[in-house]
Amino acid sequence: LYSQSAPLEIKEFNKNSKIIIMLRNPIDFLTSLHAQLLYSGNEYEKNFSKALDLELDRKKGINIPQNIDIIQKVYYKEHFCRIPLQVEKYITLFGVKNVVVILFDDFISDTEKCYLKILKLLNVDKKYIPNFLIYNQNKIVKYQFLKTWIKKYHIKLGVLRKKLYNKPIGIISFISDLNSISTKREPIDDS
């Protein structure tokens, strides 16, 4: 949904595409985004509320994270504001019959029902029901200096990997995995 060009590119590739959009509660989405940006090294402010407060300064070029790749990533409120327009764009391009919107809370509370809704959209056999396991849980960084180093030198590490090995080996992913801990996200202040 973040991409402005993706809907048209998908339509150009296959005008009969089926679109599945999963939306999270906006607060959960933004706190998850903040946690992911902390993890990836695109954010330095650990407190979500303070990161939100920095948004106006960041738009003026102040308090920008040192190794950020795309500054708009830390414009948290803009992510939320674009969602309805982005969903509408997919529905307009592909038609309401070819787009299904699933709320993440519904997916968590009744995964099988959402799964069956997707199978119906895709017009495929509904007999197979998989085990619904949780993947990609919230992660935090063990050692910030190592994450900063990887973020700063990831291009050079990729070039080094290509020189050392004929086949792709995810050296950056390997180091990042060793430097990660899965954990529950801290609840945010109601205000």
Side-chain angles (χ1 to χ4, degrees):
L1 285 179
Y2 183 78
S3 172
Q4 297 296 312
S5 62
L8 291 172
E9 290 171 359
I10 294 169
K11 181 79 171 181
E12 185 178 311
F13 178 76
N14 182 357
K15 65 181 179 179
N16 298 315
S17 292
K18 305 293 185 185
I19 307 297
I20 302 163
I21 300 171
M22 184 176 291
L23 299 176
R24 296 182 79 172
N25 168 307
I27 300 301
D28 293 341
F29 163 68
L30 291 177
T31 55
S32 176
L33 174 65
H34 175 255
Q36 178 58 37
L37 293 176
L38 276 171
Y39 180 76
S40 68
N42 284 299
E43 175 63 89
Y44 66 83
E45 178 51 61
K46 292 182 180 180
N47 182 285
F48 175 65
S49 295
K50 289 179 183 176
L52 280 177
D53 290 341
L54 288 171
E55 191 167 322
L56 288 176
D57 281 348
R58 289 173 169 176
K59 288 182 178 182
K60 296 175 189 172
I62 305 166
N63 291 318
I64 296 172
Q66 184 179 11
N67 293 316
I68 194 158
D69 48 12
I70 301 171
I71 186 63
Q72 288 82 4
K73 286 182 178 180
V74 291
Y75 298 168
Y76 296 101
K77 295 171 191 166
E78 285 186 11
H79 288 283
F80 171 68
C81 294
R82 276 197 302 263
I83 293 171
L85 296 173
Q86 293 163 314
V87 171
E88 184 180 0
K89 189 170 189 175
Y90 278 97
I91 291 172
T92 300
L93 282 172
F94 295 96
V96 73
K97 290 182 180 181
N98 293 315
V99 177
V100 71
V101 177
I102 295 175
L103 301 179
F104 187 69
D105 289 345
D106 293 343
F107 181 72
I108 295 299
S109 66
D110 195 347
T111 307
E112 186 174 337
K113 181 179 177 182
C114 292
Y115 172 75
L116 292 172
K117 188 176 181 181
I118 291 167
L119 294 182
K120 182 179 178 184
L121 170 78
L122 299 175
N123 195 25
V124 295
D125 184 9
K126 298 175 191 162
K127 292 176 190 165
Y128 174 75
I129 304 292
N131 290 328
F132 299 108
L133 302 174
I134 297 173
Y135 293 93
N136 201 18
Q137 293 180 339
N138 185 57
K139 296 176 282 205
I140 60 171
V141 173
K142 287 183 196 174
Y143 307 107
Q144 189 59 49
F145 75 91
L146 186 56
K147 176 51 99 177
T148 302
W149 184 79
I150 290 170
K151 178 78 175 157
K152 188 173 182 179
Y153 297 109
H154 73 278
I155 293 172
K156 291 179 181 176
L157 288 170
V159 171
L160 178 64
R161 180 196 73 214
K162 287 180 185 175
K163 287 181 181 179
L164 294 175
Y165 304 100
N166 287 333
K167 57 185 176 183
I169 295 178
I171 194 166
I172 297 169
S173 297
F174 177 74
I175 294 169
S176 292
D177 287 347
L178 288 177
N179 194 36
S180 299
I181 303 170
S182 290
T183 182
K184 286 195 173 255
R185 192 171 295 115
E186 293 291 322
I188 64 166
D189 186 320
D190 288 343
S191 62

